[in-house]
Amino acid sequence: MKTREIKILVHEFENISELSPDEQSLLLEARRITGLAYAPYSGFHVGAAILLGNGQIVTGNNQENSAYPSGLCAERVALFYANANFPESVVKTIAISAAKNGVLVNEPVKPCGSCRQALAETEVRFEKPIRIILDGQDAILVLEGVESLLPLSFSKKAL
Ligand code: THU
């Protein structure tokens, strides 16, 4: 028996001003779009902003439904919009923010398992790591790729 340790890198920032100007703009877009989320059931408003290889920024937010499982997270709304409209453009960075009662959450928001899997698919599709920015008042976390969110992931390589 062998035991392997898998390490992930998590860069932690105290304030948005510590990010590069481009990443600050992206995160501000994610924050802005939380305000347009449709989340009447949870009151948890999530926003995602994606920087594409063509320089374009696309955004999305969570869309809830009275039949709960029919709703969709902000990350996948943004990601699927990006992949649907710009299938040739690599997804470079995704910034994710969340607010309760209009106030940015304290703890950095973490994507759910299904969104991690969707991000993993996009990373494999474009063969480029996706930079991930997770917003919160206590800290802003920056990950260099989906592997830091979803180690040992399933992908087409297994098929
Ligand atoms: N949600 C997201 O949009 N992204 C996440 O990363 C976590 C959860 C949404 C789903 C649901 O509308 C609400 O937040 C509460 O779970």
Side-chain angles (χ1 to χ4, degrees):
M1 196 270 282
K2 266 199 262 177
T3 304
R4 284 192 289 129
E5 190 178 12
I6 299 174
K7 287 194 180 163
I8 63 161
L9 281 183
V10 180
H11 305 291
E12 195 171 319
F13 297 85
E14 278 182 13
N15 196 278
I16 188 169
S17 62
E18 293 170 43
L19 301 179
S20 72
D22 280 357
E23 290 186 352
Q24 288 185 35
S25 306
L26 194 67
L27 187 50
L28 288 176
E29 272 299 281
R31 286 182 182 178
R32 180 186 67 80
I33 208 72
T34 59
L36 302 181
Y38 179 65
Y41 303 105
S42 71
F44 192 69
H45 294 236
V46 187
I50 289 174
L51 174 66
L52 296 172
N54 65 7
Q56 202 143 348
I57 289 177
V58 301
T59 55
N61 45 34
N62 50 333
Q63 298 295 317
E64 296 188 346
N65 195 288
S66 55
Y68 288 7
S70 299
L72 199 63
C73 295
E75 295 90 326
R76 275 175 292 159
V77 170
L79 197 57
F80 294 162
Y81 181 87
N83 290 336
N85 288 280
F86 306 101
E88 307 298 331
S89 276
V90 62
V91 170
K92 289 179 83 173
T93 311
I94 183 168
I96 307 160
S97 190
K100 281 190 257 186
N101 301 314
V103 180
L104 174 64
V105 292
N106 289 325
E107 232 192 84
V109 58
K110 320 284 190 323
C112 77
S114 297
C115 288
R116 291 175 195 219
Q117 184 65 33
L119 285 163
E121 181 72 26
T122 303
E123 204 174 78
V124 171
R125 175 176 177 172
F126 293 107
E127 297 176 330
K128 280 264 157 38
I130 302 173
R131 204 167 162 84
I132 300 157
I133 303 172
L134 307 176
D135 197 18
Q137 306 232 26
D138 296 344
I140 295 168
L141 307 182
V142 177
L143 314 176
E144 293 176 18
V146 180
E147 217 179 343
S148 295
L149 279 177
L150 192 65
L152 303 178
S153 63
F154 182 79
S155 80
K156 68 175 182 186
K157 293 170 199 159
L159 298 176

